Amino acid sequence: MSITLRVALIIITVIYLYLIISSVKKRKMQSSIAIFWIITGILLMVAILIPNFIELISNLLGFEQTSNMIFCLTIFIAFGLIFSLTMILTKQANRTILLIQEISILKAKILALEETINDKKEDKK
Amino acid sequence: MKKILLIIPAYNESKNILSVYKKIKEFNKKESKVKLDYIIINDASTDNTLEICKKYSMNVINLISNLGIGGAVQTGYHYAYQNNYDIAIQFDGDGQHDINYVNDICKPLINENVDICIGSRYLDNESSKFKSTFMRRLGKNIISIIIKICTSKKITDPTSGFRAVNKEIIKLFTLDYPTDYPEPESLVNVIKEGYNIKEVPVSMNERENGKSSINFLKSIDYMIKVSISIIIDSMRFKKRRKYKEE
């Protein structure tokens, strides 16, 4: 890796980490989810800073080519992420359904109450 | 006297809902032994279903967002649970179900040790004039067979939306009720929870107005999804319940 490429990559990774942390600060991302992204950022940083780091691991694991390991890893992580997102989605959907149901029942109750109150007022008049 | 609630889900049923309402009123006048309460769940209809309900001051819950049949019916179960009803009966808003069978469908819950009673079109061949189309019968046969294999219970009409449940199952349904194609899946859940099921013969009418929402592609989609969810649900461990002898 040439020095210029390495410097460029480091700058990009720093910006990446900064974006994550600032979005947590602004409460745009939950910190529990942000941990995952911060770990990926740190891993990227390590891979850039320590030369031959990735080659070492891929040799250790027995990949024929380093790029194969990276593709493999990325796909696994992406699948895991999508899987967990689907689960979160279902949970959210269930909660939304419950909310809609409860609010609708409450609204109906309030309407009925208002009507009885109005009827009583009219009776008094 | 048992408190009985009719849960009537309605989505764009402006043409049918009034006749359903009138039939309930007639029934209450005619029958002195039972009094039926009802709740219409308007599933955010895009036509004037809600206006009609308001005009005749029917008992209606207006869902603030469209939930589909499962979510709408579950709202009814929430209502039944909160208002302490003994029996809840699902009753379609499109006039398919015949109110005169309500007594038949409630009897097993009151007199026998039954938790959920299903109105079946196919239990005996004579009682129902309307058996629906060939494709639907084929579909329900396949679902029946899958349920039989998975739970070893024979349900002749698993897609029937006309059914009565007792208090325990009302509570169960408020906690867990499938959203997309609720009838067969919820049945498997109930069987797996160890409750008693009974079917009684009923006759259903053809839809009075409007089209059924199921076409060819959708029915294939329906079959696949229902089959898969039944198989997955049936993998759950079956609970055994002890019943009090009464």
Side-chain angles (χ1 to χ4, degrees):
Chain A
M1 232 186 323
S2 72
I3 289 292
T4 32
L5 180 61
R6 186 163 290 178
V7 170
L9 283 175
I10 288 173
I11 292 171
I12 290 171
T13 318
V14 168
I15 293 173
Y16 173 69
L17 281 170
Y18 169 77
L19 281 177
I20 297 164
I21 291 168
S22 69
S23 61
V24 176
K25 272 200 224 150
K26 287 175 196 157
R27 298 284 177 273
K28 279 183 181 170
M29 203 196 295
Q30 277 178 11
S31 45
S32 55
I33 297 169
I35 286 169
F36 168 81
W37 295 110
I38 290 172
I39 288 172
T40 60
I42 291 169
L43 279 179
L44 270 177
M45 202 60 121
V46 171
I48 296 161
L49 287 177
I50 303 173
N52 302 329
F53 175 69
I54 294 178
E55 280 95 336
L56 224 101
I57 292 177
S58 82
N59 285 338
L60 211 75
L61 291 174
F63 282 97
E64 278 191 13
Q65 276 182 336
T66 317
S67 57
N68 281 356
M69 186 192 75
I70 293 181
F71 284 133
C72 194
L73 216 67
T74 335
I75 290 170
F76 273 145
I77 292 173
F79 263 112
L81 201 65
I82 294 170
F83 188 75
S84 74
L85 282 177
T86 335
M87 287 204 292
I88 293 171
L89 194 73
T90 313
K91 201 174 157 192
Q92 296 293 347
N94 284 338
R95 284 177 176 176
T96 317
I97 289 173
L98 188 64
L99 265 180
I100 292 172
Q101 291 172 336
E102 291 291 342
I103 289 180
S104 306
I105 293 174
L106 279 177
K107 263 186 142 180
K109 265 187 189 168
I110 291 171
L111 270 177
L113 276 177
E114 274 178 349
E115 266 172 30
T116 50
I117 290 170
N118 285 339
D119 287 350
K120 273 182 189 169
K121 273 183 188 167
E122 276 170 22
D123 287 348
K124 275 180 187 173
K125 277 175 192 171
Chain B
M1 201 167 79
K2 298 263 184 187
K3 274 176 86 180
I4 301 174
L5 177 74
L6 287 180
I7 298 170
I8 307 167
Y11 177 68
N12 291 352
E13 301 287 3
S14 57
K15 285 173 183 154
N16 299 314
I17 198 73
L18 191 58
S19 70
V20 171
Y21 171 65
K22 279 178 180 162
K23 274 175 192 160
I24 297 171
K25 273 197 137 180
E26 270 173 37
F27 183 85
N28 276 335
K29 267 184 202 165
K30 204 168 61 184
E31 299 272 333
S32 53
K33 281 181 202 165
V34 276
K35 190 187 173 296
L36 290 179
D37 288 343
Y38 67 93
I39 183 79
I40 295 166
I41 319 285
N42 175 35
D43 192 7
S45 298
T46 49
D47 65 357
N48 58 347
T49 306
L50 183 64
E51 280 74 30
I52 292 172
C53 293
K54 286 260 164 74
K55 193 178 160 195
Y56 291 88
S57 57
M58 300 180 202
N59 207 357
V60 62
I61 290 176
N62 184 40
L63 291 185
I64 54 177
S65 174
N66 182 274
L67 285 182
I69 176 77
V73 169
Q74 197 185 26
T75 312
Y77 286 118
H78 277 293
Y79 181 87
Y81 182 65
Q82 288 168 11
N83 292 290
N84 213 16
Y85 279 97
D86 298 303
I87 293 172
I89 301 169
Q90 239 172 281
F91 194 79
D92 273 6
D94 58 7
Q96 266 195 52
H97 298 158
D98 190 337
I99 189 118
N100 297 311
Y101 285 99
V102 162
N103 276 332
D104 292 350
I105 215 172
C106 281
K107 254 180 213 160
L109 292 181
I110 299 167
N111 301 328
E112 297 166 44
N113 204 352
V114 170
D115 298 296
I116 175 167
C117 187
I118 303 156
S120 169
R121 278 162 286 183
Y122 308 100
L123 206 58
D124 64 57
N125 287 321
E126 281 145 42
S127 63
S128 185
K129 289 157 255 164
F130 171 58
K131 302 274 188 190
S132 84
T133 60
F134 172 75
M135 278 304 289
R136 286 203 80 166
R137 264 180 292 156
L138 182 75
K140 81 96 197 147
N141 276 330
I142 296 171
I143 296 173
S144 248
I145 291 167
I146 295 173
I147 291 181
K148 171 89 185 165
I149 293 169
C150 291
T151 66
S152 72
K153 275 255 161 69
K154 197 187 177 204
I155 308 289
T156 56
D157 197 354
T159 55
S160 165
F162 190 22
R163 38 197 208 169
V165 305
N166 69 3
K167 237 177 186 174
E168 275 186 64
I169 298 203
I170 290 174
K171 197 184 173 192
L172 178 78
F173 281 169
T174 60
L175 297 174
D176 177 21
Y177 198 73
T179 34
D180 296 331
Y181 314 105
E183 282 90 8
E185 209 186 325
S186 60
L187 275 183
V188 175
N189 278 343
V190 166
I191 296 171
K192 281 284 152 185
E193 289 285 327
Y195 290 107
N196 285 351
I197 291 192
K198 191 184 177 180
E199 286 188 295
V200 292
V202 297
S203 138
M204 290 193 194
N205 310 314
E206 230 157 326
R207 291 175 66 88
E208 283 169 10
N209 282 296
K211 273 183 189 167
S212 170
S213 54
I214 292 178
N215 62 30
F216 181 71
L217 268 180
K218 266 189 186 169
S219 57
I220 289 176
D221 182 59
Y222 177 93
M223 287 307 302
I224 293 170
K225 283 182 181 165
V226 165
S227 310
I228 290 172
S229 57
I230 289 173
I231 292 166
I232 291 175
D233 279 342
S234 66
M235 288 174 190
R236 289 163 46 183
F237 188 69
K238 186 170 178 177
K239 284 185 189 167
R240 292 189 187 281
R241 280 167 198 284
K242 280 181 182 170
Y243 281 91
K244 287 174 225 158
E245 295 290 326
E246 279 177 319

